[in-house]
Amino acid sequence: MCGRYTLTATPEEVKALFAYEDTPNFPPRYNIAPTQPIAIVRQDHGRRRFGLVRWGLVPSWVKDPASFTLLVNARAETAAEKPSFRGPMRHHRCLVPASGFYEWRRQDGSKQAFFIRPKGGGLVAFAGLFDTWSDPAGGDMDTGLVLTVPASAAVSAVHDRMPAIVPPADFDAWLDTGSIDSRAATRLLRPAPEDFLDLVPVSSRVNTFANDDPAVQDPVEDAQHVPPSVRPQRQSRKAGQPEDGSQFDLFAPQKADRS
């Protein structure tokens, strides 16, 4: 699964890649966790738009979100067949901008965290789904999730699943719910190329989402065997633009850590 990720690119860099019409301002985030607001890019009447949704899908047909299981990820291979995801796969596909994600290798009772990012840095787009749940009293709640695929050989040294990364050439097709049906859209989702990602061992500070700072991405020595694809490498980071108070609140952690 993908339970933590990061978006540290500047608003200008994100807009340049995803070509949406909006001009949002947002701070860098180093440790995004479920239940927090996440950025998405969707298509609306042929135009790409930026939006925020809560990470954890609540399908529109759910009666009581408080009693519904938090859907952070969905398997890309079967999403079009499952009742919770069938509607969003047809009508509400989106892209989730990211600078990388975190995964944990479990071995002999211990866990080693890894920061998994494009080689050389930069942005990627996770395949996502979103939906809107309407309160009987009249309020709406937008929620979303990240689709996953079987891990590439490099990532499988840490975990057997990874986010589905959509290349820019497929952005239009993935977002086009009017012309591209669920089956065709599913065929766009596959593991990242073997030489696309770096795996960087990082400290257990990332386990607590309150640690949302650049230091969570600092490389550490892996105490156990390091797979050949794993190379400790320090990342150069950009500070991003200063955020205003309301935008900071939108991206602030909402609940206690689950780790």
Side-chain angles (χ1 to χ4, degrees), residues 214-227:
V216 299
Q217 295 177 359
D218 287 344
V220 300
E221 291 296 327
D222 185 0
Q224 299 183 15
H225 171 68
V226 182

Side-chain angles (χ1 to χ4, degrees), residues 57-70:
L57 187 80
V58 177
S60 58
W61 46 262
V62 169
K63 293 184 178 180
D64 180 13
S67 62
F68 190 75
T69 302
L70 193 68

Side-chain angles (χ1 to χ4, degrees), residues 186-202:
T186 300
R187 289 194 290 270
L188 298 172
L189 307 182
R190 47 196 176 280
E194 289 303 326
D195 61 349
F196 184 69
L197 297 169
D198 268 333
L199 287 77
V200 182
V202 295

Side-chain angles (χ1 to χ4, degrees), residues 80-98:
E81 307 163 8
K82 302 294 185 181
S84 293
F85 315 127
R86 194 161 46 219
M89 275 293 293
R90 290 175 182 167
H91 307 296
H92 295 148
R93 299 193 296 264
C94 66
L95 299 168
V96 180

Side-chain angles (χ1 to χ4, degrees), residues 53-256:
V53 301
R54 192 197 73 165
W55 190 7
L57 187 80
V58 177
S60 58
W61 46 262
V62 169
K63 293 184 178 180
D64 180 13
S67 62
F68 190 75
T69 302
L70 193 68
L71 301 175
V72 174
N73 299 143
R75 288 177 173 257
E77 308 95 303
T78 58
E81 307 163 8
K82 302 294 185 181
S84 293
F85 315 127
R86 194 161 46 219
M89 275 293 293
R90 290 175 182 167
H91 307 296
H92 295 148
R93 299 193 296 264
C94 66
L95 299 168
V96 180
S99 301
F101 63 100
Y102 301 99
E103 197 51 80
W104 285 259
R105 187 190 65 214
R106 290 170 169 81
Q107 184 174 337
D108 299 329
S110 65
K111 294 195 303 182
Q112 172 63 60
F114 288 85
F115 175 38
I116 304 173
R117 59 166 189 174
K119 290 185 177 181
L123 279 163
V124 294
F126 298 157
L129 303 176
F130 71 97
D131 211 346
T132 300
W133 181 83
S134 297
D135 190 306
D140 291 336
M141 178 172 63
D142 295 325
T143 62
L145 57 70
V146 173
L147 290 164
T148 67
V149 292
S152 63
V155 175
S156 67
V158 174
H159 198 275
D160 63 351
R161 305 288 297 181
M162 66 179 292
I165 296 176
V166 182
D170 290 337
F171 283 5
D172 284 339
W174 175 251
L175 294 175
D176 186 0
T177 58
S179 302
I180 307 297
D181 64 19
S182 298
R183 290 185 179 181
T186 300
R187 289 194 290 270
L188 298 172
L189 307 182
R190 47 196 176 280
E194 289 303 326
D195 61 349
F196 184 69
L197 297 169
D198 268 333
L199 287 77
V200 182
V202 295
S203 79
S204 61
R205 289 189 73 249
V206 74
N207 296 357
T208 301
F209 72 66
N211 296 326
D212 188 6
D213 57 74
V216 299
Q217 295 177 359
D218 287 344
V220 300
E221 291 296 327
D222 185 0
Q224 299 183 15
H225 171 68
V226 182
S229 61
V230 179
R231 299 180 297 158
Q233 180 176 347
R234 185 171 298 276
Q235 180 192 23
S236 60
R237 292 178 296 269
K238 296 186 178 181
Q241 291 187 335
E243 69 278 6
D244 59 28
S246 60
Q247 191 67 52
F248 181 83
D249 291 341
L250 280 173
F251 282 80
Q254 303 295 311
K255 294 185 180 179

